[in-house]
Amino acid sequence: MAEYSAPVKDMRFVLDNIAGLDDLSKLDGFAHVEGDVVDAILEEASKFAGNVLSPLNKPGDLTGSHVKDGVVTTPPGWKEAYQGFVEGGWNGISAPEEYDGGGLPQAVTMATLEMWNAANLSFALCPLLTQGAIESIRAHGTKEQQDKYLKKLVSGEWAATMNLTESQAGSDVGALRSKAEPAADGSWRISGQKIFITYGDHEMSENIIHLVLARTPGAPAGTRGISLFIVPKYLVNDNGTLGARNDLKCVSLEEKIGIHASPTAVMSYGDNGNCVGYLLGEENKGMACMFTMMNSARLGVGVQGLAVAERAYQQAVEYARDRRQGQAPGMPKGEMTPIIHHADVRRMLMTMRANIEAMRCLIYLNGACLDRAHHGPDAETREIAMGMAELLTPLSKAWCTDLGVEIASTAVQVHGGMGFVEETGVGQYYRDARILPIYEGTNGIQALDLVGRKLGLRGGEPVKQMFADMQETVKGLAAAGDEMAAMSLQLNLAVSALKDATDWLYSNAPNDPHAAPAGATPYLRMFATTVGGHLLAKSALKAKAMLEGGASDTDFLKAKIVTARFFMGQILPTATALLGPVTEGPETLFAIDEELLSA
Amino acid sequence: MAEYSAPVKDMRFVLDNIAGLDDLSKLDGFAHVEGDVVDAILEEASKFAGNVLSPLNKPGDLTGSHVKDGVVTTPPGWKEAYQGFVEGGWNGISAPEEYDGGGLPQAVTMATLEMWNAANLSFALCPLLTQGAIESIRAHGTKEQQDKYLKKLVSGEWAATMNLTESQAGSDVGALRSKAEPAADGSWRISGQKIFITYGDHEMSENIIHLVLARTPGAPAGTRGISLFIVPKYLVNDNGTLGARNDLKCVSLEEKIGIHASPTAVMSYGDNGNCVGYLLGEENKGMACMFTMMNSARLGVGVQGLAVAERAYQQAVEYARDRRQGQAPGMPKGEMTPIIHHADVRRMLMTMRANIEAMRCLIYLNGACLDRAHHGPDAETREIAMGMAELLTPLSKAWCTDLGVEIASTAVQVHGGMGFVEETGVGQYYRDARILPIYEGTNGIQALDLVGRKLGLRGGEPVKQMFADMQETVKGLAAAGDEMAAMSLQLNLAVSALKDATDWLYSNAPNDPHAAPAGATPYLRMFATTVGGHLLAKSALKAKAMLEGGASDTDFLKAKIVTARFFMGQILPTATALLGPVTEGPETLFAIDEELLSA
């Protein structure tokens, strides 16, 4: 099993041609983001990912994290790797420079995030959570809170967690019961139990800043009565030094299917009535604060889907080149053929590859939209970009994580019997990937977000803009002729079907509250796959232009065109066919009484 | 987590209306198979499955099987359960009565097999392997061999294994290197190492009869030089008592993603040069002997896919009825709604259900075809039935096991975060199911078997007959009017596309050796899904006729119609759309050089 090797060339291609790196570097605050700087960053990150994080992945799975007397121990090497991560400045590369961050665009961060997660998903979860807290405190914290927490979180000396879920409150966050009582000094006393808290405790960082959702006395029911609190593991003195241990602890860790090295904690706050918290943002506005980090956290989980798929793909290609079985047509007689030359194995690999490249386009574009939303030259540009970022987010999260599971499963299949044996390591990706469609809003929730909120966002402008972009690509393909013209027809069919599905949702949602939810999941799949096809087609057009302009890397550029053609011919058609399922309506879903669904 | 509850009513419905139980009971040897006998069998089997096997499933996963000094220990309770299984007469219910078997049709055995595997997949593997050996010895053994081994294997007092795979010989069985040297007494001395031997050793039965593929001196290369040997763990004296321990041992067990309780052994034969084997069938005809058991073994694995899906479905329904989150449209205000009332959750459950019922139809029909192939009144009937059984086998194996994985994954998703926690038990199905698309011929191999062998079998007659059957259903639906007529259109589209795909394969396979292999996997999916739709539509037509005839169980029968409609509207369209991928041809598969597939 080889270590992870970051696909730096493809990452850079997507950054240049889909995310628009050149344009991003012209935005306010990104003047330092030149092409060779980005190259250097990707190169260094790929070394850290491949040499440090990747070798810890499988041992971490075998050892797991453990808790004893409320103290969590991460696997051997974990703490040292985290220290290296912090010292390398990787933790805060997209955080603002005023807090000693790297001030890099989100688009570029997508690439480094992909690397950490492909190398070691369990490890990469820790900084992912810290990132969410940084954004939340930046957006909603007082000046004093920002000064107290941000630099340490940006550097990674302190880590952070997000505490939403309680046993009765999962997708339905509004059902949470944890409490916050005001104290005389203006702080709060937190009490309650939270579950599924990723990196709820560990010894990798000096301190852990827990962001905890709770209800204040007399708060309204549901999501409108939730407030967000900063609850440090060690209280922080005004001079920035660490004070007393707060009244909170890790009660237990879950035994999970995968991500064994990532401690998933049950956290108890205020067992002794003395858990100190500080209100972040306004009282009863906790959900709004959570939404601040939601977009980027969901996008981050989408990256995890892409990342685990890439890792699984690399291992599958390696195995398929090495393993010999049978005799493929046209291969040398008298010896077994590497299975990569069997058409059905090649189909599996190409399916993985085409989906991965499409996901990478979607994710990096989504990151670039966030950059334009925050750094765009004027309010209108920023609003338009934010609309697009918000539209793409549920696609990035749900599609890329569903594909993460599917591709990890295919990688096991490529390995045959060896894939089912843990020794090979590919089984870990299959087990690890399974959490991704669940956490940070299940993929069902993402689909509801798409049909319920995003289609109607800003009067439907982002959707219209995406359709216009796709039509542009359809035209571009047609004008480019030859094999491109064939892709134009295929993409046009998909876009038309997606439009029909969208119109059906717009028409039927107002009349039947079940109509949109019933079609939401196939609609998201259809939408994301079509966007994926559109972005691969754009890549192919760019590659063609570069080839015609005499670019040197012809193999790579020709492969870009083939991959797009494969996607159009092999992957897009079933997505287009989801028009039927989306517009079938909810009747057959509910026609069998729930009691009759069990045997 | 509730124990498994066999869906006896649906099983009986499928036996009656799809497998044609009534007709089967008129065949030679099946006179004793009356409806109430079948009911009694299903009832008793469901008790054993639910009360004995099911409670051992999760503990077995946690404990696993272990090897020490060549002796394998299965989990606590395993041996007693096996004893109960043997005493209940379950092991040989489809074996001939002359060997004290139950002489039941394969179709009925599919139902009991489904129960054992749904209750406890790891446990059920042991008798599944014994079954293969029974068939092989029956078909190819000498009278003496049959007398010596069959009764004990039929009763289950002895178990059996199949030894094909070696580290360099997986899908490519012909590459195996194990040897057999003739001994003076007419027996053989076996030597070699075999891997992935299911239940390679255990103490549940008095003896284990290993069937081992090996090469005799001077045998031709490849599959034409392979012979099959009976290699007992304990040699059997002529009076039937057990003699000396044979020179074979379990070297190690694999650490696997799932089926932890099923010992997957590395077996070493002849370490001391004294491993005694007996030739089964003719020298160099070992592959033919293996093919004898292949059809039923592959069908058996297809049943496992169905079974794990059913188990996962039951648990998902139970969880969805119990778990409350959010507020679904039309449900009581002021309380959280059981998630089963959310459209997207219902979609997941209905997708599982519709696929499961379609799989059950396919599998039981496949079993009935085998019954007709062996018990049909004349040679022609038997040949036609065997052709259909052979056509359906790769569909049963590959489609049902791919769906087994997909449905287990969906069941995890229904559970949300709890699904990722091992405690819930649903993760075990996700892990266990992953072996099914791999063993007993990978699903890629099944697809190649379909396009490479089965399409051309008997001049394509079985395929033509299946198309004729499907057209009959299309007509029947049209004639039945109303909602049935809508299904007729949907099914007709699918059948037409499948015909087009088939014609494309017939036309292109002769010209390009990659053409059929390139399209094989989507073609199998398309074929099986269309057959599934056809069989559910037949079920719906039967249900409608029964309702019109005044049948009492109206809820069940109406649900049959709804399930068929759901399948047509939600599941069939994407299968129909595979026409594109099947007929796209191999060009894009191979256009990127293998060296460029890695980063």
Side-chain angles (χ1 to χ4, degrees), chain A residues 295 299 365-374 382-396 454 457 462 465:
Chain A
N295 271 337
L299 181 53
L365 174 62
N366 201 340
C369 290
L370 286 173
D371 290 322
R372 295 192 175 91
H374 294 123
R382 290 196 294 271
E383 266 186 39
I384 290 174
M386 184 51 94
M388 185 57 76
E390 290 190 29
L391 172 63
L392 296 183
T393 300
L395 308 183
S396 296
K454 303 303 169 67
L457 195 69
Q465 191 197 323

PDB file of all heavy atoms in Angstrom, chain A residues 295 299 365-374 382-396 454 457 462 465:
ATOM      1  N   ASN A 295     -22.005  26.751   6.138  1.00  0.00           N
ATOM      2  CA  ASN A 295     -21.605  26.681   4.736  1.00  0.00           C
ATOM      3  C   ASN A 295     -20.217  26.105   4.580  1.00  0.00           C
ATOM      4  O   ASN A 295     -19.998  25.189   3.798  1.00  0.00           O
ATOM      5  CB  ASN A 295     -21.661  28.064   4.081  1.00  0.00           C
ATOM      6  CG  ASN A 295     -23.034  28.342   3.497  1.00  0.00           C
ATOM      7  OD1 ASN A 295     -23.788  27.424   3.201  1.00  0.00           O
ATOM      8  ND2 ASN A 295     -23.357  29.614   3.366  1.00  0.00           N
ATOM      9  N   LEU A 299     -19.164  22.399   3.278  1.00  0.00           N
ATOM     10  CA  LEU A 299     -18.223  22.305   2.165  1.00  0.00           C
ATOM     11  C   LEU A 299     -17.012  21.465   2.578  1.00  0.00           C
ATOM     12  O   LEU A 299     -16.527  20.628   1.806  1.00  0.00           O
ATOM     13  CB  LEU A 299     -17.799  23.723   1.752  1.00  0.00           C
ATOM     14  CG  LEU A 299     -16.822  23.853   0.586  1.00  0.00           C
ATOM     15  CD1 LEU A 299     -17.319  23.114  -0.643  1.00  0.00           C
ATOM     16  CD2 LEU A 299     -16.592  25.337   0.271  1.00  0.00           C
ATOM     17  N   LEU A 365     -14.723  25.290  -7.091  1.00  0.00           N
ATOM     18  CA  LEU A 365     -15.579  26.396  -7.529  1.00  0.00           C
ATOM     19  C   LEU A 365     -16.389  26.942  -6.357  1.00  0.00           C
ATOM     20  O   LEU A 365     -16.522  28.160  -6.190  1.00  0.00           O
ATOM     21  CB  LEU A 365     -16.527  25.918  -8.643  1.00  0.00           C
ATOM     22  CG  LEU A 365     -17.575  26.929  -9.098  1.00  0.00           C
ATOM     23  CD1 LEU A 365     -16.920  28.175  -9.692  1.00  0.00           C
ATOM     24  CD2 LEU A 365     -18.540  26.302 -10.111  1.00  0.00           C
ATOM     25  N   ASN A 366     -16.902  26.042  -5.568  1.00  0.00           N
ATOM     26  CA  ASN A 366     -17.671  26.451  -4.392  1.00  0.00           C
ATOM     27  C   ASN A 366     -16.797  27.300  -3.465  1.00  0.00           C
ATOM     28  O   ASN A 366     -17.231  28.357  -2.963  1.00  0.00           O
ATOM     29  CB  ASN A 366     -18.161  25.193  -3.661  1.00  0.00           C
ATOM     30  CG  ASN A 366     -19.353  25.454  -2.761  1.00  0.00           C
ATOM     31  OD1 ASN A 366     -19.622  26.573  -2.362  1.00  0.00           O
ATOM     32  ND2 ASN A 366     -20.069  24.416  -2.425  1.00  0.00           N
ATOM     33  N   GLY A 367     -15.568  26.886  -3.275  1.00  0.00           N
ATOM     34  CA  GLY A 367     -14.635  27.684  -2.468  1.00  0.00           C
ATOM     35  C   GLY A 367     -14.396  29.059  -3.076  1.00  0.00           C
ATOM     36  O   GLY A 367     -14.411  30.073  -2.381  1.00  0.00           O
ATOM     37  N   ALA A 368     -14.210  29.085  -4.386  1.00  0.00           N
ATOM     38  CA  ALA A 368     -13.967  30.369  -5.066  1.00  0.00           C
ATOM     39  C   ALA A 368     -15.176  31.298  -4.939  1.00  0.00           C
ATOM     40  O   ALA A 368     -15.011  32.520  -4.811  1.00  0.00           O
ATOM     41  CB  ALA A 368     -13.639  30.123  -6.539  1.00  0.00           C
ATOM     42  N   CYS A 369     -16.363  30.736  -4.977  1.00  0.00           N
ATOM     43  CA  CYS A 369     -17.563  31.565  -4.792  1.00  0.00           C
ATOM     44  C   CYS A 369     -17.560  32.206  -3.409  1.00  0.00           C
ATOM     45  O   CYS A 369     -17.944  33.370  -3.251  1.00  0.00           O
ATOM     46  CB  CYS A 369     -18.832  30.726  -4.983  1.00  0.00           C
ATOM     47  SG  CYS A 369     -19.098  30.230  -6.687  1.00  0.00           S
ATOM     48  N   LEU A 370     -17.141  31.443  -2.400  1.00  0.00           N
ATOM     49  CA  LEU A 370     -17.044  32.021  -1.053  1.00  0.00           C
ATOM     50  C   LEU A 370     -16.016  33.152  -1.022  1.00  0.00           C
ATOM     51  O   LEU A 370     -16.231  34.183  -0.383  1.00  0.00           O
ATOM     52  CB  LEU A 370     -16.674  30.947  -0.028  1.00  0.00           C
ATOM     53  CG  LEU A 370     -17.783  29.963   0.350  1.00  0.00           C
ATOM     54  CD1 LEU A 370     -17.241  28.852   1.248  1.00  0.00           C
ATOM     55  CD2 LEU A 370     -18.934  30.688   1.059  1.00  0.00           C
ATOM     56  N   ASP A 371     -14.926  32.957  -1.725  1.00  0.00           N
ATOM     57  CA  ASP A 371     -13.924  34.032  -1.794  1.00  0.00           C
ATOM     58  C   ASP A 371     -14.508  35.288  -2.426  1.00  0.00           C
ATOM     59  O   ASP A 371     -14.307  36.396  -1.923  1.00  0.00           O
ATOM     60  CB  ASP A 371     -12.714  33.560  -2.614  1.00  0.00           C
ATOM     61  CG  ASP A 371     -11.913  32.495  -1.885  1.00  0.00           C
ATOM     62  OD1 ASP A 371     -11.780  32.602  -0.653  1.00  0.00           O
ATOM     63  OD2 ASP A 371     -11.444  31.557  -2.552  1.00  0.00           O
ATOM     64  N   ARG A 372     -15.220  35.103  -3.523  1.00  0.00           N
ATOM     65  CA  ARG A 372     -15.822  36.272  -4.186  1.00  0.00           C
ATOM     66  C   ARG A 372     -16.908  36.884  -3.314  1.00  0.00           C
ATOM     67  O   ARG A 372     -17.139  38.089  -3.336  1.00  0.00           O
ATOM     68  CB  ARG A 372     -16.387  35.863  -5.550  1.00  0.00           C
ATOM     69  CG  ARG A 372     -15.301  35.414  -6.513  1.00  0.00           C
ATOM     70  CD  ARG A 372     -15.792  35.270  -7.957  1.00  0.00           C
ATOM     71  NE  ARG A 372     -14.637  34.963  -8.803  1.00  0.00           N
ATOM     72  CZ  ARG A 372     -14.220  33.723  -9.096  1.00  0.00           C
ATOM     73  NH1 ARG A 372     -14.902  32.672  -8.646  1.00  0.00           N
ATOM     74  NH2 ARG A 372     -13.152  33.528  -9.832  1.00  0.00           N
ATOM     75  N   ALA A 373     -17.584  36.019  -2.538  1.00  0.00           N
ATOM     76  CA  ALA A 373     -18.631  36.528  -1.643  1.00  0.00           C
ATOM     77  C   ALA A 373     -18.031  37.402  -0.542  1.00  0.00           C
ATOM     78  O   ALA A 373     -18.674  38.329  -0.065  1.00  0.00           O
ATOM     79  CB  ALA A 373     -19.408  35.367  -1.030  1.00  0.00           C
ATOM     80  N   HIS A 374     -16.818  37.108  -0.129  1.00  0.00           N
ATOM     81  CA  HIS A 374     -16.206  37.880   0.950  1.00  0.00           C
ATOM     82  C   HIS A 374     -15.247  38.962   0.470  1.00  0.00           C
ATOM     83  O   HIS A 374     -15.020  39.945   1.154  1.00  0.00           O
ATOM     84  CB  HIS A 374     -15.479  36.938   1.924  1.00  0.00           C
ATOM     85  CG  HIS A 374     -16.419  36.028   2.655  1.00  0.00           C
ATOM     86  ND1 HIS A 374     -16.324  34.664   2.636  1.00  0.00           N
ATOM     87  CD2 HIS A 374     -17.524  36.303   3.398  1.00  0.00           C
ATOM     88  CE1 HIS A 374     -17.304  34.129   3.353  1.00  0.00           C
ATOM     89  NE2 HIS A 374     -18.039  35.108   3.826  1.00  0.00           N
ATOM     90  N   ARG A 382     -20.577  40.582  -4.509  1.00  0.00           N
ATOM     91  CA  ARG A 382     -20.471  39.724  -3.331  1.00  0.00           C
ATOM     92  C   ARG A 382     -21.770  38.954  -3.101  1.00  0.00           C
ATOM     93  O   ARG A 382     -21.751  37.761  -2.814  1.00  0.00           O
ATOM     94  CB  ARG A 382     -20.103  40.560  -2.095  1.00  0.00           C
ATOM     95  CG  ARG A 382     -18.672  41.082  -2.135  1.00  0.00           C
ATOM     96  CD  ARG A 382     -18.199  41.572  -0.768  1.00  0.00           C
ATOM     97  NE  ARG A 382     -18.932  42.748  -0.302  1.00  0.00           N
ATOM     98  CZ  ARG A 382     -18.580  44.012  -0.560  1.00  0.00           C
ATOM     99  NH1 ARG A 382     -17.500  44.269  -1.289  1.00  0.00           N
ATOM    100  NH2 ARG A 382     -19.290  45.012  -0.085  1.00  0.00           N
ATOM    101  N   GLU A 383     -22.880  39.641  -3.270  1.00  0.00           N
ATOM    102  CA  GLU A 383     -24.169  38.967  -3.062  1.00  0.00           C
ATOM    103  C   GLU A 383     -24.410  37.860  -4.073  1.00  0.00           C
ATOM    104  O   GLU A 383     -24.899  36.782  -3.738  1.00  0.00           O
ATOM    105  CB  GLU A 383     -25.315  39.976  -3.140  1.00  0.00           C
ATOM    106  CG  GLU A 383     -25.702  40.492  -1.783  1.00  0.00           C
ATOM    107  CD  GLU A 383     -26.929  41.390  -1.851  1.00  0.00           C
ATOM    108  OE1 GLU A 383     -27.853  41.062  -2.634  1.00  0.00           O
ATOM    109  OE2 GLU A 383     -26.939  42.409  -1.160  1.00  0.00           O
ATOM    110  N   ILE A 384     -24.105  38.152  -5.313  1.00  0.00           N
ATOM    111  CA  ILE A 384     -24.284  37.145  -6.367  1.00  0.00           C
ATOM    112  C   ILE A 384     -23.405  35.933  -6.085  1.00  0.00           C
ATOM    113  O   ILE A 384     -23.848  34.785  -6.171  1.00  0.00           O
ATOM    114  CB  ILE A 384     -23.951  37.754  -7.753  1.00  0.00           C
ATOM    115  CG1 ILE A 384     -25.043  38.762  -8.136  1.00  0.00           C
ATOM    116  CG2 ILE A 384     -23.830  36.658  -8.809  1.00  0.00           C
ATOM    117  CD1 ILE A 384     -24.744  39.532  -9.405  1.00  0.00           C
ATOM    118  N   ALA A 385     -22.168  36.203  -5.705  1.00  0.00           N
ATOM    119  CA  ALA A 385     -21.253  35.101  -5.422  1.00  0.00           C
ATOM    120  C   ALA A 385     -21.722  34.294  -4.223  1.00  0.00           C
ATOM    121  O   ALA A 385     -21.642  33.061  -4.212  1.00  0.00           O
ATOM    122  CB  ALA A 385     -19.844  35.638  -5.181  1.00  0.00           C
ATOM    123  N   MET A 386     -22.239  34.988  -3.198  1.00  0.00           N
ATOM    124  CA  MET A 386     -22.724  34.267  -2.028  1.00  0.00           C
ATOM    125  C   MET A 386     -23.917  33.395  -2.399  1.00  0.00           C
ATOM    126  O   MET A 386     -24.057  32.272  -1.922  1.00  0.00           O
ATOM    127  CB  MET A 386     -23.106  35.255  -0.908  1.00  0.00           C
ATOM    128  CG  MET A 386     -23.536  34.579   0.383  1.00  0.00           C
ATOM    129  SD  MET A 386     -22.368  33.306   0.994  1.00  0.00           S
ATOM    130  CE  MET A 386     -21.376  34.274   2.133  1.00  0.00           C
ATOM    131  N   GLY A 387     -24.776  33.918  -3.266  1.00  0.00           N
ATOM    132  CA  GLY A 387     -25.913  33.116  -3.724  1.00  0.00           C
ATOM    133  C   GLY A 387     -25.453  31.836  -4.395  1.00  0.00           C
ATOM    134  O   GLY A 387     -25.983  30.745  -4.133  1.00  0.00           O
ATOM    135  N   MET A 388     -24.443  31.963  -5.246  1.00  0.00           N
ATOM    136  CA  MET A 388     -23.938  30.770  -5.932  1.00  0.00           C
ATOM    137  C   MET A 388     -23.288  29.814  -4.933  1.00  0.00           C
ATOM    138  O   MET A 388     -23.481  28.599  -4.992  1.00  0.00           O
ATOM    139  CB  MET A 388     -22.949  31.190  -7.018  1.00  0.00           C
ATOM    140  CG  MET A 388     -22.454  30.056  -7.885  1.00  0.00           C
ATOM    141  SD  MET A 388     -23.784  29.120  -8.712  1.00  0.00           S
ATOM    142  CE  MET A 388     -24.212  30.285 -10.023  1.00  0.00           C
ATOM    143  N   ALA A 389     -22.516  30.365  -3.998  1.00  0.00           N
ATOM    144  CA  ALA A 389     -21.873  29.515  -2.986  1.00  0.00           C
ATOM    145  C   ALA A 389     -22.928  28.739  -2.196  1.00  0.00           C
ATOM    146  O   ALA A 389     -22.781  27.548  -1.931  1.00  0.00           O
ATOM    147  CB  ALA A 389     -21.030  30.364  -2.041  1.00  0.00           C
ATOM    148  N   GLU A 390     -24.020  29.435  -1.864  1.00  0.00           N
ATOM    149  CA  GLU A 390     -25.056  28.778  -1.066  1.00  0.00           C
ATOM    150  C   GLU A 390     -25.799  27.712  -1.876  1.00  0.00           C
ATOM    151  O   GLU A 390     -26.218  26.693  -1.341  1.00  0.00           O
ATOM    152  CB  GLU A 390     -26.031  29.818  -0.509  1.00  0.00           C
ATOM    153  CG  GLU A 390     -25.373  30.670   0.558  1.00  0.00           C
ATOM    154  CD  GLU A 390     -26.367  31.552   1.304  1.00  0.00           C
ATOM    155  OE1 GLU A 390     -27.542  31.158   1.427  1.00  0.00           O
ATOM    156  OE2 GLU A 390     -25.962  32.645   1.736  1.00  0.00           O
ATOM    157  N   LEU A 391     -25.975  27.971  -3.150  1.00  0.00           N
ATOM    158  CA  LEU A 391     -26.611  26.964  -4.008  1.00  0.00           C
ATOM    159  C   LEU A 391     -25.730  25.718  -4.120  1.00  0.00           C
ATOM    160  O   LEU A 391     -26.209  24.578  -4.072  1.00  0.00           O
ATOM    161  CB  LEU A 391     -26.869  27.555  -5.401  1.00  0.00           C
ATOM    162  CG  LEU A 391     -27.363  26.573  -6.466  1.00  0.00           C
ATOM    163  CD1 LEU A 391     -28.727  25.990  -6.087  1.00  0.00           C
ATOM    164  CD2 LEU A 391     -27.435  27.245  -7.842  1.00  0.00           C
ATOM    165  N   LEU A 392     -24.426  25.954  -4.271  1.00  0.00           N
ATOM    166  CA  LEU A 392     -23.522  24.820  -4.509  1.00  0.00           C
ATOM    167  C   LEU A 392     -23.251  24.002  -3.251  1.00  0.00           C
ATOM    168  O   LEU A 392     -22.911  22.816  -3.338  1.00  0.00           O
ATOM    169  CB  LEU A 392     -22.194  25.325  -5.096  1.00  0.00           C
ATOM    170  CG  LEU A 392     -22.255  25.989  -6.473  1.00  0.00           C
ATOM    171  CD1 LEU A 392     -20.847  26.367  -6.935  1.00  0.00           C
ATOM    172  CD2 LEU A 392     -22.916  25.082  -7.509  1.00  0.00           C
ATOM    173  N   THR A 393     -23.402  24.642  -2.078  1.00  0.00           N
ATOM    174  CA  THR A 393     -23.003  23.953  -0.847  1.00  0.00           C
ATOM    175  C   THR A 393     -23.709  22.606  -0.623  1.00  0.00           C
ATOM    176  O   THR A 393     -23.042  21.604  -0.351  1.00  0.00           O
ATOM    177  CB  THR A 393     -23.173  24.891   0.366  1.00  0.00           C
ATOM    178  OG1 THR A 393     -22.332  26.038   0.156  1.00  0.00           O
ATOM    179  CG2 THR A 393     -22.766  24.202   1.654  1.00  0.00           C
ATOM    180  N   PRO A 394     -25.042  22.548  -0.721  1.00  0.00           N
ATOM    181  CA  PRO A 394     -25.655  21.216  -0.517  1.00  0.00           C
ATOM    182  C   PRO A 394     -25.235  20.207  -1.588  1.00  0.00           C
ATOM    183  O   PRO A 394     -25.159  19.014  -1.308  1.00  0.00           O
ATOM    184  CB  PRO A 394     -27.165  21.495  -0.577  1.00  0.00           C
ATOM    185  CG  PRO A 394     -27.304  22.838  -1.204  1.00  0.00           C
ATOM    186  CD  PRO A 394     -26.057  23.597  -0.879  1.00  0.00           C
ATOM    187  N   LEU A 395     -24.939  20.684  -2.794  1.00  0.00           N
ATOM    188  CA  LEU A 395     -24.445  19.765  -3.826  1.00  0.00           C
ATOM    189  C   LEU A 395     -23.075  19.218  -3.431  1.00  0.00           C
ATOM    190  O   LEU A 395     -22.813  18.019  -3.521  1.00  0.00           O
ATOM    191  CB  LEU A 395     -24.328  20.476  -5.178  1.00  0.00           C
ATOM    192  CG  LEU A 395     -25.546  21.232  -5.711  1.00  0.00           C
ATOM    193  CD1 LEU A 395     -25.251  21.793  -7.103  1.00  0.00           C
ATOM    194  CD2 LEU A 395     -26.770  20.331  -5.761  1.00  0.00           C
ATOM    195  N   SER A 396     -22.194  20.141  -2.985  1.00  0.00           N
ATOM    196  CA  SER A 396     -20.847  19.714  -2.589  1.00  0.00           C
ATOM    197  C   SER A 396     -20.919  18.710  -1.456  1.00  0.00           C
ATOM    198  O   SER A 396     -20.256  17.673  -1.466  1.00  0.00           O
ATOM    199  CB  SER A 396     -20.012  20.917  -2.134  1.00  0.00           C
ATOM    200  OG  SER A 396     -19.819  21.814  -3.198  1.00  0.00           O
ATOM    201  N   LYS A 454     -32.677  26.794  -1.275  1.00  0.00           N
ATOM    202  CA  LYS A 454     -31.755  27.291  -2.284  1.00  0.00           C
ATOM    203  C   LYS A 454     -32.418  27.590  -3.633  1.00  0.00           C
ATOM    204  O   LYS A 454     -32.002  28.500  -4.339  1.00  0.00           O
ATOM    205  CB  LYS A 454     -30.572  26.322  -2.452  1.00  0.00           C
ATOM    206  CG  LYS A 454     -29.802  26.059  -1.168  1.00  0.00           C
ATOM    207  CD  LYS A 454     -29.266  27.326  -0.514  1.00  0.00           C
ATOM    208  CE  LYS A 454     -28.726  27.162   0.898  1.00  0.00           C
ATOM    209  NZ  LYS A 454     -27.517  26.375   1.042  1.00  0.00           N
ATOM    210  N   LEU A 457     -33.825  30.986  -3.273  1.00  0.00           N
ATOM    211  CA  LEU A 457     -32.906  32.001  -2.760  1.00  0.00           C
ATOM    212  C   LEU A 457     -32.790  33.190  -3.728  1.00  0.00           C
ATOM    213  O   LEU A 457     -32.598  32.998  -4.927  1.00  0.00           O
ATOM    214  CB  LEU A 457     -31.530  31.334  -2.600  1.00  0.00           C
ATOM    215  CG  LEU A 457     -30.469  32.027  -1.767  1.00  0.00           C
ATOM    216  CD1 LEU A 457     -30.847  32.022  -0.295  1.00  0.00           C
ATOM    217  CD2 LEU A 457     -29.138  31.281  -1.953  1.00  0.00           C
ATOM    218  N   PRO A 462     -29.565  32.578  -8.282  1.00  0.00           N
ATOM    219  CA  PRO A 462     -28.394  31.678  -8.435  1.00  0.00           C
ATOM    220  C   PRO A 462     -28.698  30.494  -9.356  1.00  0.00           C
ATOM    221  O   PRO A 462     -27.846  30.112 -10.167  1.00  0.00           O
ATOM    222  CB  PRO A 462     -28.134  31.217  -6.996  1.00  0.00           C
ATOM    223  CG  PRO A 462     -28.697  32.294  -6.132  1.00  0.00           C
ATOM    224  CD  PRO A 462     -29.893  32.813  -6.869  1.00  0.00           C
ATOM    225  N   GLN A 465     -28.643  31.654 -12.871  1.00  0.00           N
ATOM    226  CA  GLN A 465     -27.269  31.907 -13.315  1.00  0.00           C
ATOM    227  C   GLN A 465     -26.551  30.607 -13.648  1.00  0.00           C
ATOM    228  O   GLN A 465     -25.824  30.512 -14.642  1.00  0.00           O
ATOM    229  CB  GLN A 465     -26.524  32.669 -12.220  1.00  0.00           C
ATOM    230  CG  GLN A 465     -25.173  33.200 -12.702  1.00  0.00           C
ATOM    231  CD  GLN A 465     -24.276  33.577 -11.538  1.00  0.00           C
ATOM    232  OE1 GLN A 465     -24.747  34.097 -10.531  1.00  0.00           O
ATOM    233  NE2 GLN A 465     -22.995  33.317 -11.687  1.00  0.00           N
TER     234      GLN A 465
END
